[in-house]
Amino acid sequence: MPLTIEAVPVLETNYVWALHDGSRCVLVDPGSAAEPLAFLGDNGLELTAILVTHHHRDHTGGLDEILARHEVPVWGPRDERIEQVTHPVGEGGRIEIDQPSLSLTVLETPGHTTSHLMFHDDHHLISGDTLFSIGCGRLFEGTPEQMQASLDKLSRLPDETRIYCGHEYTLDNCRFALQVEPDNTALQARFERVQRLREDGRITLPSTLAEERAANPFLRTRKPEVIEAANQREPGTGKDPAAVFGVIRRWKDG
Ligand code: ZN
Ligand code: FE
């Protein structure tokens, strides 16, 4: 059976991603245990591995309780703050899992945290809190230069890549992005779709890299419209993508 990817909502806004083939399942970023454990039970799925993008509690808080019931490998950053990781991986590393059949490449994406990872294959990107739909993570432990370089790693991935990020932030992100680019028609269209989805209580993910490239200001720091907006906000910013990124990020942090 081909891979199915489902979101298990936990905490206020987090999604634990469940990647499964109908019988075996990999969980991503279990910030809580009860909901993903119930998901496994309700769907008759056997847990075979856990992936972790970064150390924040809302992505790791469920690990101990899940691991107490399921002794499975945990793939994640080499970082002493995530002591449950059994299979540390870094830039260019591969995650090979038999069931469900998964072969993912690791990207190191410092910015939100120093050791944040993203995982991808030709069709999927698990982006944690580095890239959100129409937004990106706050710079808790990194610089605009680092985050710009982390997001630039996505330039190699195809437009059709589907994006599975860590939080349901898309609606708020659209509202902010419209301040930066009020005339961006792709963004206006995405905002309308996202508003309708949220009114119906539905998830806005996955998005695609094409949608993000068209509407996410943090992936558009080389576009004249975004450069112009950054320079209006902070005169003298210039055109350097990391400088533009820094202005947009500070603007959003308000
Ligand atoms: Zn985080
Ligand atoms: Fe988070």
Side-chain angles (χ1 to χ4, degrees):
M1 181 176 160
L3 191 68
T4 300
I5 305 184
E6 294 186 70
V8 182
V10 302
L11 309 174
E12 298 282 303
T13 59
N14 285 75
Y15 290 125
V16 178
W17 293 103
L19 291 61
H20 69 86
D21 60 8
S23 56
R24 314 290 167 93
C25 184
V26 170
L27 291 174
V28 180
D29 282 358
S32 166
E35 305 88 340
L37 286 172
F39 177 86
L40 295 172
D42 292 348
N43 293 283
L45 297 168
E46 180 193 340
L47 185 65
T48 55
I50 297 174
L51 311 185
V52 174
T53 62
H54 67 295
H55 74 279
H56 284 160
R57 187 87 189 146
D58 61 310
H59 300 254
T60 58
L63 281 173
D64 287 338
E65 199 178 327
I66 294 171
L67 291 169
R69 287 157 207 239
H70 304 271
E71 223 177 280
V72 297
V74 179
W75 303 76
R78 194 172 276 105
D79 185 325
E80 61 193 12
R81 295 175 295 188
I82 322 175
E83 58 193 18
Q84 300 92 342
V85 169
T86 59
H87 291 52
V89 282
E91 181 72 18
R94 307 277 295 189
I95 296 174
E96 305 282 356
I97 295 169
D98 285 343
Q99 293 181 300
S101 176
L102 278 179
S103 177
L104 297 168
T105 301
V106 178
L107 297 173
E108 289 182 359
T109 58
H112 179 66
T113 68
T114 51
S115 64
H116 195 297
L117 302 179
M118 299 198 293
F119 312 112
H120 76 93
D121 63 16
D122 289 342
H123 307 285
H124 313 94
L125 172 69
I126 295 168
S127 65
D129 287 2
T130 293
L131 180 71
F132 295 127
S133 184
I134 320 296
C136 74
R138 278 177 191 260
L139 301 181
F140 286 117
E141 300 177 1
T143 63
E145 288 73 18
Q146 283 178 311
M147 193 60 140
Q148 179 64 55
S150 292
L151 294 173
D152 280 344
K153 293 183 181 185
L154 298 177
S155 61
R156 297 177 234 142
L157 306 192
D159 264 351
E160 317 79 67
T161 307
R162 287 194 291 279
I163 297 167
Y164 302 84
C165 61
H167 290 267
E168 181 59 68
Y169 287 158
T170 317
L171 184 58
D172 280 348
N173 286 344
C174 285
R175 292 198 176 102
F176 170 73
L178 282 165
Q179 290 184 250
V180 180
E181 288 191 271
D183 300 326
N184 180 328
T185 53
L187 173 59
Q188 291 164 353
R190 177 103 172 107
F191 180 51
E192 289 200 4
R193 284 199 305 280
V194 166
Q195 274 182 306
R196 266 182 265 121
L197 287 169
R198 295 310 290 157
E199 278 163 15
D200 296 343
R202 291 170 62 195
I203 185 169
T204 63
L205 305 170
S207 68
T208 65
L209 215 33
E211 286 180 283
E212 299 305 321
R213 285 170 174 152
N216 185 331
F218 297 100
L219 291 186
R220 296 171 55 76
T221 52
R222 293 176 177 85
K223 299 287 180 196
E225 305 88 315
V226 176
I227 293 170
E228 171 68 22
N231 280 273
Q232 292 274 343
R233 179 80 180 177
E234 292 187 24
T237 296
K239 291 180 167 187
D240 174 65
V244 171
F245 178 94
V247 172
I248 306 296
R249 189 61 255 180
R250 279 193 294 280
W251 186 354
K252 178 144 202 295
D253 294 341

